[in-house]
């Protein structure tokens, strides 16, 4: 029986703090429905992780309560100390472990199909790897592999012996960990989800394909681990949906902050957004909204954003981190649509390639500079609609809509302008450096 009762189903909305009461150290329990990518994994940790985890694909750790240290091996970063609101980006192939300073609640974002994972142990004196166990998540749940690897580690002193120093690491106390129970619970929830989908004729949930590779590639030296804090970053962010990190390549997990404060900023307007990938929304503080502090939700691919005319909640406050995982090997499309405030007929729908930046920039262009193209593409949609009264005149009912919202609220037009300006400034600087090198 699962911790939350028999046949607990997957959810697309949950309260992290309530659910954390059922979780233990490094449970890594998958919280969202099957088929959602990225998947969220919840743990409540008060003791050091007994191994370093290595994921083939990028992963992201969010600190929702407490304080911790995240250590790295074979990386240009030794560790990050984390507090409430911290996000730590761990690129694929990077060995890392969590060492709580106080009891901590952490959410780990992972690909729906994580591929290969491994646990490893390192010499505390030399930093050299002592042992590693690798598995394919298509064949074995992480919790199963944790228990199998740690049991083997304890049973064989040779697995715990540093070849260079001959130091023997102590066995792991497995008492605090509930990996066998969690494995059964995950299997139970997956079975319940498959049964639910079958009963609703939703079709079978996609299943992971087995990886042909058997080893995890080393981390890319040009993509080190990074840390940012949603509160500090939101205070200086110039736009809504501002990415916390510069990683937006296919397969990257992209957390973006959005700060709503209608009491001091006025109405936000309303539009309809479509995305071919899921958007996972976690609230880091809210008042008078549909969310709760620590609440997580995943909506449909096509969904309304903002508040319609006459529905404004002037007291709403919400700091949210909205996260998507960039598509790998298939197109990723988005659109922004505006509807008539009188009859909700679509006035304009701006469709775009989610990886395409709409402007020509001066000099060399890279992903880190342009950020998330969604932001600037949405600026194009706003400027197109607001600049043409004919587009704002509803073809169905004849109502002439006012410009939907100024850029003072969302900041996307300003973000687009700043991107063009910084690209120009960087190109000027590079040219000046090239001239200086020739002169010298």
């Amino acid at each position: 029986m699962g911790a939350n009762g028999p046949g607990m189903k997957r959810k697309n909305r949950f309260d992290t703090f309530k659910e954390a009461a059922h979780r233990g150290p490094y449970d890594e329990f998958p919280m969202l429905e099957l088929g959602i990518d990225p998947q969220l994994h919840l743990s409540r940790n008060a003791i050091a992780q007994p191994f370093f985890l290595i994921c083939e694909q990028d992963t992201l750790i969010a600190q929702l309560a407490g304080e911790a240290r995240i250590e790295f091996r074979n990386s240009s970063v030794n560790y990050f100390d984390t507090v409430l609101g911290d996000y730590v980006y761990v690129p694929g192939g990077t060995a890392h472990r969590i060492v709580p300073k106080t009891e901590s609640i952490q959410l780990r974002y992972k690909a729906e199909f994580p591929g290969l994972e491994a646990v490893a142990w390192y010499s505390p004196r030399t930093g050299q790897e002592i042992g590693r166990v690798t598995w394919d998540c298509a064949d074995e749940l992480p919790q199963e592999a944790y228990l199998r690897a740690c049991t083997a580690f304890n049973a064989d002193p040779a697995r715990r012996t540093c070849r260079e120093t001959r130091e023997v690491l102590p066995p792991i106390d497995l008492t605090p960990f509930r990996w066998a129970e969690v494995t059964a619970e995950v299997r139970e929830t997956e079975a319940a989800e498959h049964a639910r989908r079958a009963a609703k004729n939703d079709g079978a949930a996609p299943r992971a394909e087995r990886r042909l590779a058997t080893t995890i590639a080393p981390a890319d030296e040009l993509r080190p681990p990074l840390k940012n804090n949603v509160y500090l970053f939101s205070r200086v962010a110039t736009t809504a949906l501002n990415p916390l990190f510069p990683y937006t390549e296919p397969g990257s997990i992209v957390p973006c902050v959005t700060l709503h404060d209608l009491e001091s900023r006025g109405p936000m307007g309303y539009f309809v957004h479509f995305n071919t990938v899921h958007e996972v929304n976690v609230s880091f503080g809210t008042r008078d909204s549909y969310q709760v502090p620590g609440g997580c939700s995943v909506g449909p691919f096509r969904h309304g954003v903002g508040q319609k005319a006459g529905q404004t909640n002037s007291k709403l406050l919400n700091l949210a981190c909205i996260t998507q995982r960039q598509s790998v090997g298939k197109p990723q499309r988005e659109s922004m649509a505006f509807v008539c405030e009188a009859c909700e007929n679509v006035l304009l729908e701006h469709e775009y390639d989610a990886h395409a930046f709409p402007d020509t920039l001066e000099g060399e262009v890279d992903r880190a500079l342009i950020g998330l193209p969604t932001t600037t593409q949405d600026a194009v949609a706003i400027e197109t609609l607001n600049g043409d009264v004919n587009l704002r005149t509803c073809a169905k009912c004849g109502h002439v809509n006012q410009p939907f919202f100024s850029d003072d609220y969302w900041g996307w037009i300003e973000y687009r302008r700043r991107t063009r300006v910084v690209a120009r400034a960087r190109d000027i600087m590079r040219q000046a450096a090239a001239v200086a090198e020739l002169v010298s």
Side-chain angles (χ1 to χ4, degrees):
M1 177 180 292
N4 292 334
M8 186 191 88
K9 68 177 183 178
R10 298 283 186 124
K11 305 176 182 179
N12 62 8
R13 183 185 300 273
F14 66 88
D15 182 332
T16 300
F17 296 123
K18 286 185 178 179
E19 297 295 336
H22 304 287
R23 303 271 60 96
Y26 311 102
D27 279 5
E28 296 280 354
F29 192 84
M31 299 299 299
L32 301 174
E33 292 180 355
L34 293 174
I36 292 177
D37 189 2
Q39 179 61 248
L40 278 184
H41 301 258
L42 176 61
S43 295
R44 180 164 54 92
N45 303 318
I47 59 176
Q49 198 167 12
F51 45 71
F52 283 81
L53 180 64
I54 307 169
C55 300
E56 180 182 31
Q57 301 192 58
D58 293 0
T59 182
L60 190 67
I61 300 171
Q63 187 88 17
L64 272 78
E67 299 181 10
R69 171 169 289 187
I70 300 180
E71 301 177 344
F72 302 94
R73 290 292 183 269
N74 300 326
S75 170
S76 60
V77 178
N78 291 327
Y79 64 86
F80 287 130
D81 288 326
T82 59
V83 297
L84 172 64
D86 277 340
Y87 271 75
V88 173
Y89 200 105
V90 185
T94 305
H96 62 289
R97 75 163 183 160
I98 299 170
V99 182
K101 297 182 178 181
T102 66
E103 183 171 85
S104 297
I105 298 174
Q106 278 127 356
L107 287 171
R108 181 188 292 275
Y109 297 69
K110 289 167 58 174
E112 176 191 7
F113 302 126
L116 300 181
E117 293 187 356
V119 296
W121 293 270
Y122 295 83
S123 167
R125 291 177 56 189
T126 68
Q128 297 299 309
E129 185 175 310
I130 292 176
R132 178 184 298 209
V133 175
T134 304
W135 66 92
D136 188 337
C137 291
D139 297 329
E140 188 175 17
L141 291 175
Q143 296 84 356
E144 291 177 301
Y146 297 165
L147 182 57
R148 175 173 63 84
C150 290
T151 301
F153 179 85
N154 285 353
D156 185 359
R159 290 177 177 265
R160 297 185 270 118
T161 302
C162 175
R163 289 179 291 275
E164 182 176 336
T165 66
R166 308 310 301 170
E167 179 182 9
V168 181
L169 297 181
I172 298 166
D173 179 8
L174 297 178
T175 305
F177 308 108
R178 306 181 307 127
W179 292 321
E181 180 183 347
V182 173
T183 294
E185 188 180 357
V186 173
R187 297 288 188 204
E188 183 181 14
T189 60
E190 288 186 350
E193 175 66 4
H194 283 297
R196 184 189 67 82
R197 293 173 69 101
K200 295 180 65 176
N201 293 318
D202 284 346
R207 297 192 183 266
E209 294 184 1
R210 213 173 173 282
R211 294 281 287 113
L212 296 177
T214 57
T215 59
I216 298 174
D220 185 345
E221 293 182 356
L222 298 180
R223 298 179 83 243
L226 298 173
K227 184 185 83 165
N228 213 334
N229 183 278
V230 295
Y231 300 107
L232 302 183
F233 186 70
S234 296
R235 186 169 59 84
V236 298
T238 60
T239 181
L241 287 179
N242 207 332
L244 283 170
F245 303 107
Y247 303 144
T248 59
E249 304 91 336
S252 297
I253 301 174
V254 186
C256 302
V257 295
T258 295
L259 181 62
H260 294 298
D261 175 23
L262 297 190
E263 189 169 21
S264 61
R265 300 195 68 193
M268 66 174 72
Y270 178 81
F271 59 92
V272 178
H273 180 238
F274 170 77
N275 201 338
T276 55
V277 300
H278 291 106
E279 299 176 3
V280 178
N281 188 328
V282 176
S283 174
F284 281 85
T286 188
R287 179 189 65 200
D288 289 350
S289 79
Y290 71 91
Q291 287 188 297
V292 296
C296 173
S297 61
V298 183
F301 293 113
R302 183 176 292 274
H303 53 276
V305 179
Q307 294 180 329
K308 297 178 181 179
Q311 296 181 341
T312 299
N313 178 359
S314 62
K315 298 294 185 181
L316 183 145
L317 180 151
N318 189 29
L319 173 53
C321 189
I322 302 171
T323 303
Q324 66 185 42
R325 181 173 175 270
Q326 304 297 78
S327 291
V328 179
K330 57 183 178 181
Q332 183 175 331
R333 305 289 302 175
E334 294 188 47
S335 73
M336 185 182 197
F338 300 94
V339 299
C340 175
E341 62 186 3
C343 70
E344 298 195 6
N345 181 52
V346 174
L347 304 173
L348 169 71
E349 182 159 9
H350 175 64
E351 300 178 346
Y352 53 90
D353 179 341
H355 295 289
F357 187 75
D359 301 321
T360 299
L361 300 178
E362 296 182 24
E364 298 180 18
V365 178
D366 54 59
R367 290 180 179 273
L369 184 73
I370 67 174
L372 189 66
T374 296
T375 306
T376 44
Q377 290 283 3
D378 289 348
V380 171
I382 293 170
E383 290 182 318
T384 301
L385 181 80
N386 288 351
D388 189 342
V389 67
N390 292 320
L391 290 175
R392 298 199 311 273
T393 302
C394 180
K396 182 178 180 181
C397 73
H399 177 73
V400 180
N401 293 270
Q402 294 297 313
F404 270 63
F405 35 67
S406 71
D407 197 48
D408 291 341
Y409 191 93
W410 297 95
W412 293 329
I413 296 173
E414 175 67 4
Y415 188 86
R416 181 186 183 191
R417 182 192 71 83
R418 284 172 176 261
T419 303
R420 293 195 299 263
V421 173
V422 298
R424 188 178 308 130
R426 187 173 68 172
D427 188 50
I428 292 170
M429 193 67 170
R430 282 176 169 167
Q431 291 182 40
V435 171
E437 183 178 354
L438 290 175
V439 170
S440 62

